[in-house]
Amino acid sequence: MKTEVKICGLTKPEDIDAALAAGADWIGFVFFAKSPRSLSVARAAELASPARGRVGIVALTVDAQDDLIEEIARDLKPDFIQLHGSETPERATEIRSRFGLRALKALGIGERADLDRASLYAGHVERLLLDARPPKGATRPGGNGASFDWRLLEDFAPGMPWFLSGGLNGDNIGAALAATRASAVDVSSGVERAPGEKDPAEIARFVAAVRAHDARRGDAKDARPAAKAAPVAAA
């Protein structure tokens, strides 16, 4: 099965071109003033135009007020709104109902107990995103280039699709996928040359590494039945 890839925090036309050329499945735009990747809704809508219908579009917000969400829904028309703050399950449902948006809730993970929150959002959002819990003093809830202990995800089954995020890059994504068996991944700082400055070569390398993992996984699945059948054939 193909692993979905989301490239988040895009700010320039060349970022969009790179994500599309690499074969990403999702692109994300950030609407949070404290992020070096933040941009206006009008600019995001302009950037998203050539990608619409080719990849999914995600709008990342952090405890956003209704006027911003309304502007996003009206002008960007994203496939998902990513709730990356302290939004409650009830707030997520309100946003979905009032603005007609599908919701993706980000959870900060630092210990196994943090995963227990996932069940609270069942029926309130369509997807989850698991990011590293931000360090003390951080001004942003995500995009800090930090990962969490992937072993915490052993037997994690929230009953809805989820993205793995947090400190991923072209060097560690293969190990991350092997450890977590995530069906979707999200990257931002891991494909940048500087905060907010995407590197097209790193975007391509990241997606290629994901596809290489998919190919290895497919080869392994294909090999298992053949290995079981070998003794019968030898007989």
Side-chain angles (χ1 to χ4, degrees):
M1 183 175 65
K2 177 183 174 184
T3 302
E4 296 178 64
V5 177
K6 175 171 169 277
I7 310 294
C8 197
L10 308 183
T11 61
K12 297 182 293 188
E14 46 266 46
D15 298 345
I16 306 297
D17 293 341
L20 293 174
D25 304 286
W26 300 87
I27 57 173
F29 300 104
V30 176
F31 305 101
F32 183 57
K34 293 181 180 179
S35 170
R37 306 163 188 96
S38 186
L39 72 174
S40 69
V41 176
R43 180 57 172 159
E46 181 183 356
L47 291 171
S49 181
R52 195 173 301 279
R54 301 171 64 184
V55 294
I57 297 170
V58 179
L60 187 157
T61 63
V62 180
D63 298 315
Q65 298 298 308
D66 284 354
D67 55 350
L68 174 58
I69 298 175
E70 182 177 14
E71 184 182 3
I72 290 170
R74 182 188 65 233
D75 297 341
L76 180 59
K77 299 178 177 63
D79 295 284
F80 275 89
I81 184 164
Q82 182 171 326
L83 308 176
H84 217 108
S86 57
E87 300 90 357
T88 63
E90 292 74 24
R91 175 59 173 159
T93 292
E94 179 186 9
I95 289 170
R96 291 169 68 210
S97 175
R98 180 170 180 179
F99 301 102
L101 294 171
R102 291 185 292 173
L104 165 63
K105 180 68 181 90
L107 300 177
I109 308 301
E111 57 186 351
R112 181 72 188 187
D114 293 326
L115 293 170
D116 294 339
R117 296 172 56 212
S119 62
L120 302 178
Y121 288 87
H124 295 274
V125 301
E126 283 78 14
R127 291 191 175 213
L128 297 171
L129 182 144
L130 307 182
D131 199 356
R133 186 197 296 167
K136 281 189 175 182
T139 59
R140 304 189 304 270
N144 296 298
S147 59
F148 62 92
D149 186 349
W150 301 322
R151 292 173 297 182
L152 296 174
L153 298 178
E154 184 176 0
D155 300 324
F156 178 63
M160 70 183 91
W162 55 277
F163 285 85
L164 177 67
S165 187
L168 301 177
N169 55 52
D171 293 324
N172 67 14
I173 186 59
L177 287 169
T180 65
R181 300 183 181 180
S183 60
V185 295
D186 169 271
V187 66
S188 184
S189 61
V191 291
E192 292 180 341
R193 57 172 69 96
E197 293 288 329
K198 291 293 185 284
D199 186 331
E202 287 303 308
I203 290 176
R205 189 165 77 94
F206 183 86
V207 178
V210 174
R211 300 300 172 231
H213 168 82
D214 289 347
R216 290 192 298 271
R217 181 174 57 182
D219 289 344
K221 287 180 179 179
D222 291 343
R224 280 196 292 269
K228 290 180 180 178
V232 177

